Amino acid sequence: MKKNTTQQHSRNALIAALDIGTTKICCLIARMGEFGPRIVGIGHQVSAGVRNGTVVDMDALEGAIRATVEAAEQMAEDNVREVMINMSSNTIASRLITYEVDTAGHRIDDADLRRLLDPQVLQIDEGEGRERVHVIPVGYSIDGTRGIRDPIGMYGDRLGVNMHIVSAASPVLRNLETTVARCHLNVAGVAASPYASALSCLVGDETKLGVTMIDMGGGTTSVAVYFDGELVHTDVVPLGGSHITNDIARGLSTPLGHAERVKNLFGNAVPSSSDDRAVIEVPLIGEDGTSGASQVPRSMLVGIIRPRVEETFELIRDRLAKAGFEQVSGPRVVLTGGASQLPGVSDVATEILDRQVRIGKPAALDGLAEAVSGPAFSTCTGLIHYAVNSSQESTAGTFQPTAEHGRKFGKLGQWFRENF
């Protein structure tokens, strides 16, 4: 299923990003200027019709998207026709493959590179019911010799590339695109949520030295691993902030709305010496007024939150190890997403992942309001960056490789020699 990924980013052109999450939907509209994009429209509200990053009610999601985009359009005083959207379903899968083309011994040029990296030519079988989201080159080889930094100008009979393929279940992707289309919006492109968040939050030195980006959303937690400046692995686990809220609601027998409020006001993933003395008033399900509230120590709340946070990071640690990226992921972890703002989460991540941890916020964009500049808006901000750079990205259906792609791979080739 092809996507219209051609966007004209000439001066004054509009770019729209739509972050469709389990707990919230956000739309940012940017206008291209002389010095880059400037945010001119912002809209966000509670999500509906999405569970764990997957559409479960098209009608409810359509209404939420329409309201969010209309709010952004009113602020921008203009209408958008297409949006860049994210994909956060746990059907996302990541793999590395090697692909080669025959160069007949002649001097390798840009035409060979384009032929090698053309997604329409690549013989990649994603399997029945799956669709490519990203096709990203992460290293070259000539006649079996890996670690080639720049193949342009060299000679060989076979030119190869190591590709990072990110795919997702076709029905999940099509349901998302169809719902957006029902809002009379074209899908300009799709980006995996961890990739978009990484574009917004990571700095150059982190991606070069190796870093794991963990985006903690409402319904899912997504992972992006960078090595030597390139995205080499992505993953999504079906746990997020809403699971913590559900645990609190069940554990304290309180409505979901009150459970979310208690989590935000009193929640912590790390116990303290004062937790037993601090008492929280929690309304009970089906009871009215304060007479129907129970008094619980904060230690009970922490005891509910911490196991779920531990489970999330343990699952990420184990899946990185199983995929062979535990060592490649580097000494640093960057946490972002709304659930990462829960106090104590970074401490638990440090303990379980045994890495340096920082909370990542979106890089500043001209016109971006303070209210939407926190970790919860990393994906939407990253989609703006992704849209601006879309002509240089390897998205499903479009990629314009140049000789520059051959100059970005140094020690990455050595790692591929040792591991693949």
Short mmCIF file of all heavy atoms in Angstrom, two decimals, residues 389-417:
data_model
loop_
_atom_site.label_atom_id
_atom_site.label_comp_id
_atom_site.label_asym_id
_atom_site.label_seq_id
_atom_site.Cartn_x
_atom_site.Cartn_y
_atom_site.Cartn_z
N ASN A 389 12.70 16.48 6.53
CA ASN A 389 13.80 15.71 5.95
C ASN A 389 13.32 14.52 5.13
O ASN A 389 14.12 13.65 4.78
CB ASN A 389 14.71 15.19 7.08
CG ASN A 389 15.33 16.31 7.88
OD1 ASN A 389 15.69 17.34 7.33
ND2 ASN A 389 15.44 16.13 9.18
N SER A 390 12.05 14.47 4.80
CA SER A 390 11.48 13.27 4.17
C SER A 390 12.12 12.94 2.84
O SER A 390 12.19 11.78 2.43
CB SER A 390 9.97 13.42 3.99
OG SER A 390 9.68 14.52 3.15
N SER A 391 12.61 13.95 2.12
CA SER A 391 13.23 13.68 0.83
C SER A 391 14.54 12.93 0.98
O SER A 391 15.06 12.36 0.02
CB SER A 391 13.48 14.99 0.07
OG SER A 391 14.38 15.80 0.78
N GLN A 392 15.12 12.91 2.20
CA GLN A 392 16.39 12.21 2.44
C GLN A 392 16.18 10.92 3.22
O GLN A 392 17.14 10.24 3.55
CB GLN A 392 17.36 13.12 3.21
CG GLN A 392 17.71 14.39 2.46
CD GLN A 392 18.58 15.30 3.29
OE1 GLN A 392 18.79 15.07 4.47
NE2 GLN A 392 19.08 16.34 2.67
N GLU A 393 14.92 10.61 3.54
CA GLU A 393 14.65 9.42 4.35
C GLU A 393 14.31 8.24 3.46
O GLU A 393 13.86 8.37 2.35
CB GLU A 393 13.48 9.68 5.32
CG GLU A 393 13.76 10.75 6.35
CD GLU A 393 14.84 10.34 7.32
OE1 GLU A 393 15.13 9.15 7.41
OE2 GLU A 393 15.39 11.22 7.97
N SER A 394 14.49 7.06 4.00
CA SER A 394 14.13 5.84 3.30
C SER A 394 12.80 5.34 3.83
O SER A 394 12.72 4.41 4.61
CB SER A 394 15.22 4.81 3.51
OG SER A 394 14.75 3.56 3.78
N THR A 395 11.71 6.01 3.41
CA THR A 395 10.38 5.59 3.82
C THR A 395 9.82 4.62 2.82
O THR A 395 10.34 4.45 1.73
CB THR A 395 9.46 6.82 3.92
OG1 THR A 395 9.47 7.50 2.67
CG2 THR A 395 9.91 7.77 5.00
N ALA A 396 8.73 4.00 3.17
CA ALA A 396 8.12 3.02 2.27
C ALA A 396 7.63 3.71 1.02
O ALA A 396 6.69 4.48 1.05
CB ALA A 396 6.96 2.32 2.98
N GLY A 397 8.28 3.44 -0.09
CA GLY A 397 7.83 3.98 -1.36
C GLY A 397 8.72 5.05 -1.93
O GLY A 397 8.69 5.30 -3.12
N THR A 398 9.52 5.77 -1.10
CA THR A 398 10.39 6.81 -1.66
C THR A 398 11.73 6.79 -0.97
O THR A 398 11.84 6.61 0.22
CB THR A 398 9.80 8.22 -1.47
OG1 THR A 398 9.72 8.50 -0.07
CG2 THR A 398 8.44 8.36 -2.10
N PHE A 399 12.77 7.01 -1.75
CA PHE A 399 14.10 7.22 -1.19
C PHE A 399 14.98 7.78 -2.29
O PHE A 399 14.98 7.27 -3.40
CB PHE A 399 14.68 5.91 -0.66
CG PHE A 399 16.02 6.12 0.01
CD1 PHE A 399 16.15 7.03 1.03
CD2 PHE A 399 17.12 5.40 -0.40
CE1 PHE A 399 17.38 7.22 1.65
CE2 PHE A 399 18.34 5.59 0.21
CZ PHE A 399 18.46 6.50 1.23
N GLN A 400 15.72 8.84 -2.00
CA GLN A 400 16.58 9.46 -3.00
C GLN A 400 18.02 9.39 -2.51
O GLN A 400 18.55 10.34 -1.94
CB GLN A 400 16.16 10.92 -3.21
CG GLN A 400 14.73 11.10 -3.67
CD GLN A 400 14.48 10.46 -5.02
OE1 GLN A 400 15.36 10.47 -5.88
NE2 GLN A 400 13.31 9.90 -5.23
N PRO A 401 18.70 8.25 -2.68
CA PRO A 401 20.05 8.11 -2.18
C PRO A 401 21.04 8.92 -3.00
O PRO A 401 20.87 9.10 -4.20
CB PRO A 401 20.33 6.61 -2.34
CG PRO A 401 19.46 6.20 -3.47
CD PRO A 401 18.22 7.05 -3.38
N THR A 402 22.07 9.39 -2.34
CA THR A 402 23.15 10.11 -3.02
C THR A 402 24.47 9.55 -2.51
O THR A 402 24.52 8.70 -1.62
CB THR A 402 23.08 11.61 -2.70
OG1 THR A 402 23.35 11.80 -1.31
CG2 THR A 402 21.72 12.18 -3.04
N ALA A 403 25.54 10.10 -3.05
CA ALA A 403 26.86 9.65 -2.62
C ALA A 403 27.09 9.90 -1.14
O ALA A 403 27.88 9.22 -0.50
CB ALA A 403 27.94 10.36 -3.44
N GLU A 404 26.38 10.88 -0.58
CA GLU A 404 26.55 11.21 0.84
C GLU A 404 26.23 10.02 1.73
O GLU A 404 26.80 9.85 2.79
CB GLU A 404 25.66 12.40 1.21
CG GLU A 404 25.79 12.85 2.66
CD GLU A 404 27.19 13.33 2.99
OE1 GLU A 404 27.92 13.74 2.08
OE2 GLU A 404 27.55 13.29 4.18
N HIS A 405 25.29 9.14 1.28
CA HIS A 405 24.95 7.99 2.09
C HIS A 405 26.13 7.03 2.22
O HIS A 405 26.17 6.23 3.15
CB HIS A 405 23.74 7.26 1.49
CG HIS A 405 22.47 8.01 1.65
ND1 HIS A 405 22.02 8.90 0.72
CD2 HIS A 405 21.56 8.02 2.65
CE1 HIS A 405 20.88 9.43 1.13
NE2 HIS A 405 20.57 8.91 2.29
N GLY A 406 27.06 7.10 1.31
CA GLY A 406 28.22 6.22 1.39
C GLY A 406 29.28 6.73 2.32
O GLY A 406 30.28 6.07 2.55
N ARG A 407 29.10 7.92 2.87
CA ARG A 407 30.14 8.54 3.70
C ARG A 407 29.81 8.51 5.18
O ARG A 407 30.47 9.17 5.96
CB ARG A 407 30.36 9.98 3.24
CG ARG A 407 30.72 10.09 1.76
CD ARG A 407 31.08 11.50 1.35
NE ARG A 407 31.47 11.53 -0.05
CZ ARG A 407 30.69 11.92 -1.03
NH1 ARG A 407 29.48 12.33 -0.76
NH2 ARG A 407 31.10 11.91 -2.28
N LYS A 408 28.73 7.78 5.56
CA LYS A 408 28.26 7.88 6.93
C LYS A 408 28.54 6.64 7.77
O LYS A 408 28.08 6.55 8.88
CB LYS A 408 26.76 8.16 6.94
CG LYS A 408 26.37 9.44 6.24
CD LYS A 408 24.96 9.85 6.59
CE LYS A 408 23.95 8.83 6.23
NZ LYS A 408 22.59 9.23 6.56
N PHE A 409 29.28 5.68 7.23
CA PHE A 409 29.41 4.42 7.94
C PHE A 409 30.88 4.11 8.21
O PHE A 409 31.62 3.75 7.32
CB PHE A 409 28.79 3.28 7.12
CG PHE A 409 27.43 3.65 6.60
CD1 PHE A 409 27.23 3.88 5.25
CD2 PHE A 409 26.37 3.80 7.46
CE1 PHE A 409 25.99 4.24 4.78
CE2 PHE A 409 25.12 4.16 6.99
CZ PHE A 409 24.93 4.38 5.65
N GLY A 410 31.32 4.25 9.45
CA GLY A 410 32.68 3.97 9.82
C GLY A 410 32.78 2.65 10.56
O GLY A 410 32.76 1.58 9.96
N LYS A 411 32.85 2.70 11.89
CA LYS A 411 33.00 1.48 12.69
C LYS A 411 31.75 0.61 12.64
O LYS A 411 31.79 -0.55 13.06
CB LYS A 411 33.30 1.85 14.13
CG LYS A 411 32.22 2.69 14.80
CD LYS A 411 32.66 3.10 16.20
CE LYS A 411 31.61 3.98 16.88
NZ LYS A 411 32.03 4.44 18.19
N LEU A 412 30.66 1.12 12.08
CA LEU A 412 29.46 0.31 11.94
C LEU A 412 29.77 -0.94 11.10
O LEU A 412 29.27 -2.02 11.37
CB LEU A 412 28.35 1.12 11.28
CG LEU A 412 26.96 0.50 11.24
CD1 LEU A 412 26.49 0.22 12.65
CD2 LEU A 412 25.98 1.42 10.53
N GLY A 413 30.60 -0.78 10.08
CA GLY A 413 30.95 -1.92 9.25
C GLY A 413 31.65 -3.00 10.03
O GLY A 413 31.41 -4.19 9.83
N GLN A 414 32.51 -2.60 10.96
CA GLN A 414 33.21 -3.57 11.79
C GLN A 414 32.23 -4.35 12.64
O GLN A 414 32.35 -5.58 12.79
CB GLN A 414 34.24 -2.86 12.69
CG GLN A 414 34.97 -3.79 13.64
CD GLN A 414 35.90 -3.04 14.56
OE1 GLN A 414 36.12 -1.85 14.39
NE2 GLN A 414 36.46 -3.73 15.54
N TRP A 415 31.25 -3.64 13.19
CA TRP A 415 30.25 -4.32 14.02
C TRP A 415 29.45 -5.33 13.20
O TRP A 415 29.18 -6.44 13.63
CB TRP A 415 29.32 -3.27 14.66
CG TRP A 415 28.24 -3.90 15.48
CD1 TRP A 415 28.37 -4.48 16.71
CD2 TRP A 415 26.87 -4.02 15.13
NE1 TRP A 415 27.16 -4.96 17.14
CE2 TRP A 415 26.22 -4.68 16.19
CE3 TRP A 415 26.12 -3.64 14.02
CZ2 TRP A 415 24.86 -4.96 16.18
CZ3 TRP A 415 24.77 -3.90 14.01
CH2 TRP A 415 24.15 -4.57 15.07
N PHE A 416 29.11 -4.96 11.95
CA PHE A 416 28.37 -5.88 11.09
C PHE A 416 29.23 -7.10 10.75
O PHE A 416 28.73 -8.23 10.65
CB PHE A 416 27.92 -5.20 9.81
CG PHE A 416 26.56 -4.58 9.94
CD1 PHE A 416 26.43 -3.20 10.07
CD2 PHE A 416 25.43 -5.35 9.92
CE1 PHE A 416 25.18 -2.63 10.20
CE2 PHE A 416 24.17 -4.78 10.04
CZ PHE A 416 24.04 -3.42 10.17
N ARG A 417 30.54 -6.89 10.54
CA ARG A 417 31.43 -8.02 10.24
C ARG A 417 31.40 -9.05 11.39
O ARG A 417 31.44 -10.24 11.18
CB ARG A 417 32.86 -7.54 10.03
CG ARG A 417 33.13 -6.94 8.66
CD ARG A 417 34.61 -6.92 8.37
NE ARG A 417 35.38 -6.22 9.38
CZ ARG A 417 35.57 -4.92 9.38
NH1 ARG A 417 35.03 -4.16 8.44
NH2 ARG A 417 36.29 -4.33 10.30
#
